[in-house]
Amino acid sequence: MENREFYIMEDNLRLHAKLEFPEAEKKTYPLGIVIHGFTGNMEEPHIITAAEAMRACGYASLRVEMYGHGGSDGEFRDHTLLRWLTNALTVIRYARGLDFVSGIVLCGHSQGGLLTMLAGAMERDVLKAIIPLSPAWMIPEEARRGNLLGCPFDPDHIPDEVTHPDGYSLSGEYFRAAQFIHPEDSISRFDGPVLLVHGSADETVPVEYSYRAAAMYRRAELVIIPGDTHCYDRHLDLLSQAIRGFLSGPAFSDHS
Ligand code: FER
């Protein structure tokens, strides 16, 4: 089947996507959806690496950019985790409608990893497995505390706009949406296989969050990449190895 670049529509909103197939020609493929993080996009090396690792295991890969990111519609300042969640549900629905798809795995990095946890709960009967990479599941508790990415605000009187010292702005709705989310509930509702990958020297999302999530999920594998950063700059090879090991390992022995 042909690789393609296209848009998935959510109502009138375009979500930019790339669908790619493994070498071996077949009638059906399992599909791995890969989603970037906050300020990220589908061409980041770790997103490309995750998609490639899936294709090495015979999966088709579908990289998609969420609202306000990459080549998708929407302004960055207006994105929220709730918008991203409906985006992810739209992408999963789209994937279910593809004739060749034999099963779906969802993977996301950082804020996309938190998104993967949330969508995992909502689509618990659809997704064969989830792969949250360095999942930023402290965002909701930081939003409730009034300090996100080192940027303080009043959590009980959220401003219309918050401007980060680095220069980007987010609308207050980002923080209202984040305060509303309770990742623990989503973690407890997914009982399929889970792969968590995290660099031990991650300065954006402390590695402790993946240790905690691994202890809370019923069927989690945790791969710590020693000395690596939030985006696995030092060991993309080990990120790839973790995903390939998981997709070809015992978690999947009950189906092809
Ligand atoms: C934060 C910590 C992490 C935050 C966002 C992130 C907006 C997400 C990082 C990523 O997706 O790479 O406090 O606030």
Side-chain angles (χ1 to χ4, degrees):
M1 257 167 276
E2 290 290 308
N3 292 346
R4 56 195 190 97
E5 179 175 2
F6 60 107
Y7 294 106
I8 297 168
M9 298 305 292
E10 179 170 321
D11 301 327
N12 292 323
L13 186 93
R14 297 176 310 170
L15 298 173
H16 181 220
K18 286 188 180 176
L19 176 62
E20 291 160 295
F21 292 90
E23 294 285 315
E25 190 74 27
K26 292 200 300 173
K27 283 212 185 63
T28 67
Y29 303 86
L31 181 75
I33 299 170
V34 188
I35 297 174
H36 58 81
F38 182 82
T39 71
N41 64 71
M42 65 161 84
E43 306 302 346
E44 294 175 296
H46 55 291
I47 300 302
I48 290 176
T49 296
E52 280 173 353
M54 290 173 160
R55 295 200 297 280
C57 295
Y59 282 61
S61 67
L62 179 63
R63 289 179 284 151
V64 191
E65 290 166 334
M66 301 288 99
Y67 185 101
H69 287 68
S72 292
D73 286 340
E75 293 299 322
F76 172 80
R77 99 175 263 294
D78 295 326
H79 92 281
T80 72
L81 274 159
L82 296 179
R83 281 197 198 266
W84 275 31
L85 186 52
T86 65
N87 294 165
L89 299 181
T90 296
V91 172
I92 292 167
R93 169 158 313 182
Y94 169 81
R96 291 178 73 187
L98 294 169
D99 288 342
F100 69 81
V101 171
S102 60
I104 303 172
V105 170
L106 178 63
C107 172
H109 175 252
S110 197
Q111 179 166 288
L114 168 56
L115 175 68
T116 295
M117 292 169 149
L118 304 176
M122 290 183 78
E123 301 283 339
R124 61 209 289 270
D125 52 340
V126 169
L127 298 173
K128 293 272 180 275
I130 59 172
I131 308 181
L133 304 174
S134 313
W137 68 280
M138 75 299 182
I139 291 175
E141 73 195 35
E142 291 190 351
R144 288 189 281 271
R145 222 180 43 229
N147 196 322
L148 217 52
L149 269 181
C151 177
F153 60 93
D154 180 351
D156 298 319
H157 303 277
I158 295 174
D160 290 341
E161 185 165 280
V162 173
T163 301
H164 188 271
D166 285 352
Y168 61 78
S169 298
L170 285 167
S171 84
E173 306 214 348
Y174 177 89
F175 304 92
R176 292 177 191 275
Q179 285 184 340
F180 170 79
I181 288 166
H182 291 271
E184 304 78 9
D185 297 349
S186 294
I187 292 173
S188 69
R189 275 184 66 76
F190 189 79
D191 53 16
V194 179
L195 171 66
L196 293 148
V197 183
H198 214 123
S200 68
D202 188 334
E203 291 181 349
T204 306
V205 181
V207 67
E208 285 70 29
Y209 280 90
S210 277
Y211 280 111
R212 274 171 58 196
M216 290 160 72
Y217 274 116
R218 244 153 296 176
R219 296 172 60 188
E221 280 178 39
L222 172 60
V223 174
I224 300 295
I225 304 187
D228 217 348
T229 60
H230 189 51
C231 298
Y232 324 99
D233 304 311
R234 306 197 175 109
H235 284 298
L236 285 171
D237 55 326
L238 296 183
L239 170 64
S240 174
Q241 196 180 92
I243 292 172
R244 287 181 283 120
F246 176 69
L247 293 179
S248 54
F252 289 83
S253 55
D254 52 345
H255 41 77
S256 59

